[in-house]
Amino acid sequence: MALVERSLLGPGPSNTYPEATAGLAAPLLGHLDPDFLAMLDETGNRLRAVWGTENLRTLPLSGTGSIGMEAAFVNFVRPGDVVVVAVNGLFGERMCDVADRYGAEVVRVDHPWGQPVDVQRVLDAHPSPALVAAVHAETSTGARSDLKHLGTALRERDERTLLLADCVTSIGGEEIALDDWGVDIAYAGTQKCLGVAPGLAPFTVSERAWQRRVERPTTWYLDLGLIGNYVTGGSSGGRAYHHTAPTAMVASLHAGLGRILDEGMPAVAARHREAGAALQDGLREMGLELFASEGHRLSQLTSVVVPEGVNSGDVRKRLLTDYDIEIGGGAGQYANSVWRIGLMGHNARLDRVEMLLGALKRVLGR
Amino acid sequence: MALVERSLLGPGPSNTYPEATAGLAAPLLGHLDPDFLAMLDETGNRLRAVWGTENLRTLPLSGTGSIGMEAAFVNFVRPGDVVVVAVNGLFGERMCDVADRYGAEVVRVDHPWGQPVDVQRVLDAHPSPALVAAVHAETSTGARSDLKHLGTALRERDERTLLLADCVTSIGGEEIALDDWGVDIAYAGTQKCLGVAPGLAPFTVSERAWQRRVERPTTWYLDLGLIGNYVTGGSSGGRAYHHTAPTAMVASLHAGLGRILDEGMPAVAARHREAGAALQDGLREMGLELFASEGHRLSQLTSVVVPEGVNSGDVRKRLLTDYDIEIGGGAGQYANSVWRIGLMGHNARLDRVEMLLGALKRVLGR
C-alpha cells in the first residue's frame, strides 16, 4: 500500500527534522549500552541548552508530553498542598484535573481563552501556595504568557513557592531561559518545535524543587527518584536499571536537538518568528481574523477564527484530502470556531507558509 | 561519527524486524489523521491475533512495557483490595511494589528464582482475592509459568477473581491464548519478541474486568476510561482526543505485527523454539549450566550460570567491544552470576545462534 505523506501544519505532531528521522531508523542500541548512555547524557546537555537551565535533573521521560504534566504533579504535590493554576486554555484546565487527582487543593485562576496569564491575578489568588503552575505557550489557543514576569514576581514574594511551567509548544521554537526566569519544574513534548516524533517528554527540575519531591510517589513508572538513579546515577554513582528506555526515540531526540543547536537557538527562534509573521500577515490579507490576543500571539502556532458561514470540518477535510495538509480544529468550546495552524520545527519555513496560504485560499474561494 | 551496530542478544531491546524499522521512519502521521486511526484500529486487531483474545479494549499504551504494569494496577485495584502476586523473579517483585503504592493488600507468594509459578500455592494463598497477578515469561530468570493452568483453576474456584498477566517477554515469541486461559488483563512490551523498538506497552482488558475498573484513577495519563474514548470511541461513538499518541511508534508496531502475522504465529513460535534449542544445546556442549528449571525454560530468553572463576562483566564487555554483541547480566542478586541471552523476534535465527556461540567460545577460551 502506498505510504501517505502529509504536511503536518496542525498543533502537533509536526513533520520531523530529517536528522530526527534518521536517528529513529538508526541501528537500535540497548538501554544499558555505554554508547547509548553517552547519547542520553548528551541529550540532557542539549535539553539544558535549549531550555536555558543548568539543572542536573534534565531528562526525557518515557511517554508523550502529557506524561510530563503527570510526573510534575505526582512527584511534587502532596495531598492538601495549595496549587494555584493559571487557566487560559485546555492545558491549564488539564493541570487542574491532574493536580486534583493527587489531592492538591487547587486554586484556579481562570482567564478568557486566547489571553495570556495575568500575573497579578495569579499572585493575588493565594499568599503562599506550594506550587504555581502555568502554560508558557498554550497549544489550545496560540497565546504566549510571560513566564519571566511570573517567575520573578514569585521569587520576590516568597522563597517557598515552586513554579511549574508547561513548555510543550515553546521548547525549540523560541528562546527560553528557565533559570533566569525562576522556573523550578518544566516539561515539554518532542513532537512540536523540537521536530521529533511524539513519544518523549523532556523534563527538568531545579535543585530546590528536587529537595522537596515526594519520597515515594504513588506512581512507580514516574518515580523520579528511581528514574534519576538510571539517568544521572544513584548516590553510589552507578546507574541502576529502572525501565527500558525508548532508545530509538532518544536517539531521534538527540539528533533533532543536535540539528537545532547546530543552527543555533537564536536563529531557530528567528526562523519561527519569520514564518509565523508571514503566515499571520497572509491570513489577515485573506480577511481572516486571528484568535489569540494581539501582542501575545505565538509564531509557531497561529489560531484563526473560522469565518461565519464556513464549516470548519469541511475545510480541514478538503485540505487533508486534496492537499495532504493537516491543520487543527480548535480545542474545547472552540472546536468548530477556531483553526490552529502550526509552523513548528522543520515546518517553520516560508515554503510551508505559501503552500498553506495557497491551498486555504482555494478552499475558501477567496 | 560512525553509527554503531550491535547484535542485541540480551533480555531486550532486540534488533527490530526490518518492517518495523521502515515503519518508524515512514512519513509521520498526525494522531487524529483518519489514516492513522485506521492503522491504530488494525494494530488492535493484530494484537488480538497474537494474544489470542477478542477483547474490544486492546491497544498500545504510550510508554514502555512497565507502564502496562502501572496501568493495570492503577485502573483495577482499589485501596484495601487483596492482590495475590506470584513472585518468581524481578517483575513479580515489581508488581508487589506497584500494587502496594496503589493501596492494595499484597499477598506475596515467593518462589525460588528460575522456577515456574506453583499454581496450587497461589490458590492457597488467599480464598478470594480481587486480583491474582503473575508473569508469563520471567525476563529476569528465563522461566515460563503455566498461565492456562492458573487461569483455569481460578475460574473454577471463583468468578470474582481477576487474573493479570505480564506478557512482556512472551508476546510474539510463543503462542498465547488469553481468552482460553482466562486471563482478564495483560500487558506487554514491543522491544522483545515483537521485534519493535521500545516505547509502547500493548495492553488488553476483558469485558468483565472493564466493568470493575476504577472510575477515576489517580493517574490522568493512564486513565483507561479517557484513553478508551480515543482508541475505541466514547459512548457517543466519537473519538475524543486524550494525549498525542506516539504515531511513529504505533506505525512501527503495526508493521512489526504485520510481519509476524504474515509469517504466521505458529511458524514464528516454531522459529523461536528452534533457535532457542540450538542455543541451549550449544551452551551445554560448551559445558555451561542453564539457570532456569528444566521443562520451564523459555526459548526466547536463555539464562546461563556464569562459570566459577569467570568475571561476568568482563565477558559481556569483550562481547560488546570485540564483537558488537550485547548479552545481559542477571537481575537482582544474580546480577553477576547469571547471563541472559535473548533470541527474540528478528533475532530468533540460527545465524545469530552460531555468531553468539562462536564469540562466547572464543571469549571463554573453551
Side-chain angles (χ1 to χ4, degrees):
Chain A
M1 219 180 73
L3 290 173
V4 175
E5 184 162 12
R6 308 283 202 209
S7 293
L8 301 177
L9 304 181
S14 55
N15 299 101
T16 53
Y17 284 117
E19 292 84 351
T21 307
L24 256 187
L28 194 69
L29 292 176
H31 58 290
L32 298 172
D33 191 306
D35 281 44
F36 174 73
L37 293 170
M39 183 188 279
L40 182 62
D41 287 345
E42 198 167 59
T43 301
N45 291 340
R46 291 176 180 185
L47 283 173
R48 286 180 195 98
V50 298
W51 243 340
T53 180
E54 301 283 323
N55 290 339
L56 170 65
R57 291 169 186 88
T58 303
L59 67 157
L61 295 177
S62 306
T64 55
S66 303
I67 213 171
M69 186 190 290
E70 181 115 0
F73 287 104
V74 68
N75 281 283
F76 295 97
V77 167
R78 291 171 177 77
D81 276 357
V82 173
V83 171
V84 172
V85 182
V87 180
N88 65 335
L90 181 71
F91 294 91
E93 296 264 5
R94 183 176 297 177
M95 281 177 164
C96 296
D97 183 356
V98 176
D100 176 66
R101 288 177 191 238
Y102 292 108
E105 188 185 310
V106 176
V107 180
R108 280 177 71 120
V109 184
D110 275 291
H111 300 70
W113 283 32
Q115 295 293 322
V117 168
D118 181 328
V119 171
Q120 194 56 50
R121 288 187 54 223
V122 172
L123 291 171
D124 292 346
H126 194 279
S128 62
L131 190 101
V132 167
V135 177
H136 186 205
E138 245 299 348
T139 321
S140 63
T141 69
R144 180 186 296 103
S145 291
D146 188 345
L147 287 188
K148 182 180 182 178
H149 181 188
L150 178 59
T152 310
L154 282 170
R155 287 282 170 106
E156 278 170 6
R157 182 177 75 173
D158 176 4
E159 271 304 307
R160 204 185 137 275
T161 302
L162 298 177
L163 177 57
L164 164 64
D166 175 319
C167 295
V168 171
T169 294
S170 57
I171 194 171
E174 53 186 283
E175 291 188 79
I176 300 179
L178 292 183
D179 289 356
D180 285 354
W181 298 353
V183 174
D184 294 287
I185 306 162
Y187 60 87
T190 46
Q191 75 275 17
K192 301 184 194 269
C193 301
L194 291 178
V196 175
L200 292 174
F203 196 90
T204 187
V205 193
S206 71
E207 191 56 38
R208 73 178 201 135
W210 186 251
Q211 296 307 327
R212 283 158 55 188
R213 76 185 187 281
V214 176
E215 201 53 54
R216 188 172 183 254
T218 48
T219 176
W220 179 91
Y221 188 74
L222 292 176
D223 182 331
L224 288 178
L226 297 179
I227 297 173
N229 288 344
Y230 168 68
V231 175
T232 62
S235 49
S236 62
R239 290 177 187 262
Y241 160 68
H242 179 250
H243 64 276
T244 302
T247 51
M249 282 298 311
V250 172
S252 185
L253 174 59
H254 177 261
L257 287 165
R259 156 70 184 255
I260 289 170
L261 293 171
D262 280 350
E263 187 177 345
M265 201 53 234
V268 170
R271 178 161 57 77
H272 280 82
R273 281 195 302 275
E274 185 187 17
L279 173 68
Q280 292 173 8
D281 287 350
L283 293 168
R284 272 185 301 234
E285 279 164 22
M286 283 167 64
L288 295 172
E289 185 191 342
L290 303 183
F291 176 74
S293 169
E294 194 166 357
H296 306 283
R297 288 175 190 147
L298 300 175
S299 302
Q300 62 270 43
L301 183 65
T302 296
S303 51
V304 192
V305 177
V306 177
E308 260 195 296
V310 170
N311 182 300
S312 162
D314 288 349
V315 170
R316 285 189 285 123
K317 197 169 172 185
R318 271 202 60 197
L319 287 173
L320 193 71
T321 51
D322 294 356
Y323 299 90
D324 277 315
I325 295 175
E326 175 179 279
I327 69 168
Q333 62 170 303
Y334 298 99
N336 296 311
S337 56
V338 164
W339 289 313
R340 290 179 293 163
I341 304 173
L343 296 170
M344 305 185 191
H346 192 47
N347 286 340
R349 300 155 55 132
L350 297 179
D351 57 341
R352 305 296 200 266
V353 173
E354 294 309 323
M355 181 176 71
L356 185 276
L357 287 173
L360 188 60
K361 216 163 181 166
R362 299 259 181 205
V363 171
L364 291 178
R366 295 200 169 207
Chain B
M1 220 179 72
L3 290 173
V4 176
E5 184 163 11
R6 309 283 201 209
S7 294
L8 301 176
L9 304 182
S14 56
N15 299 100
T16 52
Y17 284 118
E19 292 84 351
T21 307
L24 257 185
L28 194 70
L29 293 176
H31 57 291
L32 299 173
D33 191 306
D35 281 43
F36 174 73
L37 293 172
M39 183 188 279
L40 183 62
D41 287 345
E42 198 168 57
T43 301
N45 292 340
R46 292 176 179 186
L47 284 173
R48 286 181 196 99
V50 298
W51 245 338
T53 180
E54 301 284 322
N55 290 339
L56 170 66
R57 290 166 186 91
T58 303
L59 67 157
L61 295 177
S62 306
T64 54
S66 302
I67 213 172
M69 186 190 291
E70 181 115 359
F73 287 103
V74 68
N75 280 283
F76 295 96
V77 167
R78 292 171 176 78
D81 276 356
V82 173
V83 172
V84 172
V85 182
V87 180
N88 64 335
L90 182 71
F91 294 92
E93 296 264 6
R94 184 177 295 177
M95 281 177 163
C96 296
D97 183 356
V98 176
D100 177 66
R101 289 178 191 237
Y102 292 108
E105 189 185 311
V106 177
V107 179
R108 281 178 70 120
V109 183
D110 274 290
H111 299 71
W113 283 32
Q115 295 293 322
V117 169
D118 181 328
V119 171
Q120 194 56 51
R121 288 187 54 222
V122 172
L123 290 172
D124 292 346
H126 193 279
S128 61
L131 190 104
V132 168
V135 177
H136 186 204
E138 245 298 349
T139 321
S140 63
T141 70
R144 180 186 297 105
S145 292
D146 188 345
L147 287 188
K148 183 180 183 179
H149 181 188
L150 178 58
T152 309
L154 282 170
R155 287 281 171 106
E156 278 169 6
R157 182 175 75 172
D158 175 5
E159 272 304 308
R160 204 184 137 275
T161 302
L162 298 178
L163 176 57
L164 163 64
D166 175 320
C167 295
V168 171
T169 294
S170 56
I171 194 172
E174 53 187 281
E175 292 187 79
I176 301 178
L178 292 183
D179 289 355
D180 284 353
W181 299 351
V183 174
D184 295 285
I185 306 163
Y187 60 86
T190 46
Q191 75 275 15
K192 302 188 195 266
C193 301
L194 291 177
V196 175
L200 291 174
F203 196 91
T204 188
V205 194
S206 71
E207 191 56 37
R208 73 179 201 135
W210 186 251
Q211 296 307 327
R212 283 158 55 187
R213 74 185 188 280
V214 176
E215 202 53 55
R216 186 172 185 254
T218 48
T219 176
W220 179 91
Y221 188 73
L222 292 176
D223 182 330
L224 288 177
L226 297 179
I227 297 172
N229 288 343
Y230 168 67
V231 175
T232 61
S235 48
S236 62
R239 292 178 186 261
Y241 161 68
H242 178 249
H243 65 275
T244 302
T247 50
M249 281 298 311
V250 172
S252 184
L253 174 59
H254 177 261
L257 287 165
R259 157 70 184 254
I260 289 170
L261 294 171
D262 281 351
E263 188 176 344
M265 200 54 234
V268 170
R271 178 162 56 77
H272 280 81
R273 282 196 301 274
E274 185 188 18
L279 173 69
Q280 292 174 8
D281 287 350
L283 292 168
R284 273 186 300 234
E285 280 164 20
M286 284 167 63
L288 296 172
E289 185 192 341
L290 302 184
F291 177 73
S293 171
E294 195 166 356
H296 307 281
R297 288 175 190 147
L298 300 174
S299 301
Q300 62 270 44
L301 182 66
T302 297
S303 51
V304 192
V305 178
V306 177
E308 259 197 298
V310 170
N311 183 300
S312 161
D314 288 350
V315 171
R316 284 188 286 122
K317 197 169 173 183
R318 272 201 61 199
L319 286 173
L320 193 71
T321 52
D322 295 356
Y323 299 90
D324 277 314
I325 295 175
E326 176 179 277
I327 69 167
Q333 61 169 305
Y334 298 99
N336 296 312
S337 56
V338 164
W339 289 312
R340 289 179 294 162
I341 304 173
L343 295 171
M344 305 185 191
H346 192 47
N347 286 340
R349 300 154 55 129
L350 296 178
D351 57 339
R352 304 297 200 267
V353 174
E354 294 309 322
M355 181 177 71
L356 185 274
L357 287 174
L360 188 60
K361 215 163 182 166
R362 299 258 183 206
V363 171
L364 291 177
R366 295 198 170 209

